[in-house]
Short mmCIF file of all heavy atoms in Angstrom, two decimals:
data_model
loop_
_atom_site.label_atom_id
_atom_site.label_comp_id
_atom_site.label_asym_id
_atom_site.label_seq_id
_atom_site.Cartn_x
_atom_site.Cartn_y
_atom_site.Cartn_z
N LYS A 1462 34.20 7.35 29.97
CA LYS A 1462 33.65 6.99 28.69
C LYS A 1462 34.49 5.97 27.93
O LYS A 1462 33.92 4.99 27.39
CB LYS A 1462 33.43 8.27 27.83
CG LYS A 1462 32.93 8.01 26.44
CD LYS A 1462 34.07 8.10 25.41
CE LYS A 1462 33.51 8.03 23.99
NZ LYS A 1462 34.66 7.95 23.00
N SER A 1463 35.78 6.09 27.97
CA SER A 1463 36.69 5.23 27.26
C SER A 1463 36.62 3.76 27.94
O SER A 1463 36.50 2.77 27.32
CB SER A 1463 38.08 5.77 27.27
OG SER A 1463 38.90 5.01 26.41
N LEU A 1464 36.73 3.75 29.28
CA LEU A 1464 36.65 2.48 30.03
C LEU A 1464 35.27 1.83 29.89
O LEU A 1464 35.21 0.61 29.65
CB LEU A 1464 37.00 2.78 31.47
CG LEU A 1464 36.95 1.59 32.49
CD1 LEU A 1464 37.90 0.51 31.99
CD2 LEU A 1464 37.26 2.03 33.89
N PHE A 1465 34.24 2.59 30.02
CA PHE A 1465 32.87 2.00 29.93
C PHE A 1465 32.69 1.40 28.50
O PHE A 1465 32.17 0.40 28.40
CB PHE A 1465 31.83 3.11 30.19
CG PHE A 1465 31.58 3.45 31.64
CD1 PHE A 1465 30.98 4.61 31.97
CD2 PHE A 1465 32.07 2.59 32.62
CE1 PHE A 1465 30.71 4.90 33.27
CE2 PHE A 1465 31.75 2.93 34.07
CZ PHE A 1465 31.22 4.07 34.28
N GLY A 1466 33.22 2.10 27.59
CA GLY A 1466 32.97 1.66 26.17
C GLY A 1466 33.63 0.29 25.89
O GLY A 1466 33.06 -0.62 25.32
N LEU A 1467 34.80 0.15 26.50
CA LEU A 1467 35.58 -1.12 26.40
C LEU A 1467 34.81 -2.24 27.05
O LEU A 1467 34.61 -3.42 26.52
CB LEU A 1467 36.95 -1.00 26.98
CG LEU A 1467 37.78 -2.28 26.97
CD1 LEU A 1467 38.05 -2.78 25.59
CD2 LEU A 1467 39.08 -2.04 27.74
N ILE A 1468 34.27 -1.98 28.23
CA ILE A 1468 33.54 -3.05 29.05
C ILE A 1468 32.24 -3.32 28.33
O ILE A 1468 31.93 -4.54 28.16
CB ILE A 1468 33.24 -2.38 30.40
CG1 ILE A 1468 34.53 -2.32 31.26
CG2 ILE A 1468 32.26 -3.38 31.15
CD1 ILE A 1468 34.34 -1.59 32.57
N MET A 1469 31.44 -2.38 27.76
CA MET A 1469 30.21 -2.70 27.18
C MET A 1469 30.43 -3.47 25.87
O MET A 1469 29.69 -4.38 25.62
CB MET A 1469 29.57 -1.29 26.79
CG MET A 1469 29.03 -0.57 28.01
SD MET A 1469 27.94 0.80 27.67
CE MET A 1469 29.13 1.99 26.89
N ALA A 1470 31.38 -3.08 25.07
CA ALA A 1470 31.53 -3.83 23.78
C ALA A 1470 32.07 -5.25 23.93
O ALA A 1470 31.85 -6.11 23.09
CB ALA A 1470 32.47 -3.03 22.92
N SER A 1471 32.70 -5.56 25.08
CA SER A 1471 33.26 -6.84 25.26
C SER A 1471 32.50 -7.73 26.24
O SER A 1471 32.93 -8.85 26.60
CB SER A 1471 34.73 -6.74 25.71
OG SER A 1471 34.83 -6.01 26.94
N GLY A 1472 31.39 -7.17 26.74
CA GLY A 1472 30.62 -7.86 27.74
C GLY A 1472 29.57 -8.82 27.25
O GLY A 1472 29.57 -9.30 26.09
N ALA A 1473 28.56 -9.11 28.18
CA ALA A 1473 27.54 -10.10 27.85
C ALA A 1473 26.28 -9.63 27.35
O ALA A 1473 25.33 -10.35 27.14
CB ALA A 1473 27.29 -10.96 29.15
N CYS A 1474 26.09 -8.26 27.20
CA CYS A 1474 24.88 -7.74 26.65
C CYS A 1474 24.75 -8.11 25.18
O CYS A 1474 25.70 -7.89 24.39
CB CYS A 1474 24.84 -6.13 26.71
SG CYS A 1474 23.57 -5.37 25.86
N PRO A 1475 23.60 -8.75 24.84
CA PRO A 1475 23.46 -9.33 23.46
C PRO A 1475 23.52 -8.14 22.39
O PRO A 1475 23.75 -8.44 21.18
CB PRO A 1475 22.14 -10.06 23.49
CG PRO A 1475 21.43 -9.51 24.65
CD PRO A 1475 22.42 -9.13 25.64
N ILE A 1476 23.10 -6.95 22.80
CA ILE A 1476 23.18 -5.81 21.78
C ILE A 1476 24.53 -5.17 21.71
O ILE A 1476 25.14 -5.09 20.65
CB ILE A 1476 22.09 -4.82 22.16
CG1 ILE A 1476 20.67 -5.45 22.05
CG2 ILE A 1476 22.17 -3.65 21.24
CD1 ILE A 1476 19.55 -4.60 22.52
N LEU A 1477 25.14 -4.82 22.82
CA LEU A 1477 26.34 -4.19 22.84
C LEU A 1477 27.52 -5.05 22.40
O LEU A 1477 28.45 -4.59 21.82
CB LEU A 1477 26.70 -3.59 24.22
CG LEU A 1477 25.73 -2.52 24.75
CD1 LEU A 1477 26.09 -2.13 26.22
CD2 LEU A 1477 25.65 -1.29 23.91
N SER A 1478 27.37 -6.28 22.65
CA SER A 1478 28.44 -7.29 22.27
C SER A 1478 28.61 -7.38 20.80
O SER A 1478 29.62 -7.94 20.29
CB SER A 1478 28.14 -8.69 22.83
OG SER A 1478 26.95 -9.26 22.37
N ARG A 1479 27.68 -6.83 19.97
CA ARG A 1479 27.79 -6.85 18.53
C ARG A 1479 29.03 -5.91 18.13
O ARG A 1479 29.51 -5.95 17.01
CB ARG A 1479 26.46 -6.42 17.86
CG ARG A 1479 25.40 -7.47 18.00
CD ARG A 1479 24.10 -6.98 17.40
NE ARG A 1479 24.33 -6.64 15.92
CZ ARG A 1479 23.27 -6.12 15.25
NH1 ARG A 1479 22.14 -5.72 15.82
NH2 ARG A 1479 23.51 -5.87 13.95
N LEU A 1480 29.39 -5.12 19.13
CA LEU A 1480 30.57 -4.17 18.81
C LEU A 1480 31.85 -4.75 19.35
O LEU A 1480 32.91 -4.09 19.36
CB LEU A 1480 30.32 -2.85 19.60
CG LEU A 1480 29.08 -2.09 19.12
CD1 LEU A 1480 28.87 -0.98 20.02
CD2 LEU A 1480 29.23 -1.56 17.69
N LYS A 1481 31.86 -6.04 19.68
CA LYS A 1481 33.09 -6.72 20.25
C LYS A 1481 34.32 -6.55 19.37
O LYS A 1481 35.41 -6.36 19.88
CB LYS A 1481 32.81 -8.14 20.55
CG LYS A 1481 33.97 -8.73 21.33
CD LYS A 1481 33.52 -10.15 21.89
CE LYS A 1481 34.66 -10.63 22.79
NZ LYS A 1481 34.22 -11.94 23.43
N PRO A 1482 34.24 -6.58 18.01
CA PRO A 1482 35.36 -6.39 17.17
C PRO A 1482 36.14 -5.07 17.55
O PRO A 1482 37.44 -4.97 17.45
CB PRO A 1482 34.91 -6.43 15.73
CG PRO A 1482 33.77 -7.31 15.83
CD PRO A 1482 33.11 -7.01 17.10
N LEU A 1483 35.39 -4.02 17.85
CA LEU A 1483 35.96 -2.79 18.21
C LEU A 1483 36.73 -2.83 19.49
O LEU A 1483 37.76 -2.14 19.64
CB LEU A 1483 34.88 -1.66 18.29
CG LEU A 1483 34.06 -1.35 17.07
CD1 LEU A 1483 33.10 -0.19 17.26
CD2 LEU A 1483 34.98 -1.08 15.96
N ALA A 1484 36.36 -3.72 20.42
CA ALA A 1484 37.00 -3.98 21.70
C ALA A 1484 38.46 -4.53 21.43
O ALA A 1484 39.37 -4.30 22.02
CB ALA A 1484 36.25 -4.79 22.60
N HIS A 1485 38.47 -5.51 20.42
CA HIS A 1485 39.69 -6.06 20.15
C HIS A 1485 40.71 -5.13 19.51
O HIS A 1485 41.94 -5.39 19.61
CB HIS A 1485 39.45 -7.30 19.15
CG HIS A 1485 38.98 -8.55 19.82
ND1 HIS A 1485 39.92 -9.39 20.36
CD2 HIS A 1485 37.81 -9.04 19.98
CE1 HIS A 1485 39.25 -10.46 20.84
NE2 HIS A 1485 37.97 -10.29 20.67
N PHE A 1486 40.25 -4.08 18.97
CA PHE A 1486 41.14 -2.98 18.38
C PHE A 1486 40.86 -1.71 19.14
O PHE A 1486 40.72 -0.71 18.57
CB PHE A 1486 40.87 -2.87 16.88
CG PHE A 1486 41.23 -4.17 16.14
CD1 PHE A 1486 40.16 -5.00 15.76
CD2 PHE A 1486 42.53 -4.53 15.82
CE1 PHE A 1486 40.44 -6.17 15.02
CE2 PHE A 1486 42.79 -5.67 15.15
CZ PHE A 1486 41.72 -6.48 14.77
N HIS A 1487 40.79 -1.84 20.41
CA HIS A 1487 40.52 -0.66 21.32
C HIS A 1487 41.35 0.46 21.10
O HIS A 1487 42.54 0.30 21.15
CB HIS A 1487 40.48 -1.14 22.78
CG HIS A 1487 40.05 -0.12 23.74
ND1 HIS A 1487 38.86 0.58 23.70
CD2 HIS A 1487 40.75 0.39 24.84
CE1 HIS A 1487 38.80 1.45 24.72
NE2 HIS A 1487 39.94 1.39 25.40
N LEU A 1488 40.76 1.65 20.93
CA LEU A 1488 41.52 2.84 20.79
C LEU A 1488 41.06 3.79 21.87
O LEU A 1488 39.99 4.39 21.80
CB LEU A 1488 41.32 3.56 19.41
CG LEU A 1488 41.98 4.89 19.18
CD1 LEU A 1488 43.58 4.58 19.26
CD2 LEU A 1488 41.70 5.35 17.91
N PRO A 1489 41.80 3.94 22.99
CA PRO A 1489 41.35 4.82 24.11
C PRO A 1489 41.24 6.30 23.60
O PRO A 1489 41.87 6.79 22.82
CB PRO A 1489 42.58 4.72 25.09
CG PRO A 1489 43.25 3.46 24.77
CD PRO A 1489 43.08 3.28 23.28
N PHE A 1490 40.14 6.93 24.19
CA PHE A 1490 39.86 8.35 23.99
C PHE A 1490 39.64 8.60 22.51
O PHE A 1490 39.97 9.65 22.02
CB PHE A 1490 41.02 9.16 24.54
CG PHE A 1490 41.43 8.87 25.92
CD1 PHE A 1490 42.56 8.09 26.27
CD2 PHE A 1490 40.58 9.25 27.03
CE1 PHE A 1490 42.87 7.76 27.55
CE2 PHE A 1490 40.89 8.90 28.29
CZ PHE A 1490 42.09 8.21 28.58
N ALA A 1491 39.07 7.74 21.81
CA ALA A 1491 38.87 7.84 20.33
C ALA A 1491 37.92 9.05 20.11
O ALA A 1491 36.83 9.20 20.79
CB ALA A 1491 38.23 6.60 19.76
#
């Protein structure tokens, strides 16, 4: 879940990539 979340937020999906700022401040196992 933690690894997938990082990949999804920082990837190329136009919807999930709106969460990219969270990837820059990634907190594992949040």
Side-chain angles (χ1 to χ4, degrees):
K1462 176 256 183 185
S1463 191
L1464 177 57
F1465 283 163
L1467 176 62
I1468 292 172
M1469 290 191 291
S1471 59
C1474 170
I1476 295 173
L1477 297 177
S1478 61
R1479 292 176 61 188
L1480 299 171
K1481 190 168 185 176
L1483 299 184
H1485 278 279
F1486 299 98
H1487 181 56
L1488 180 61
F1490 310 105

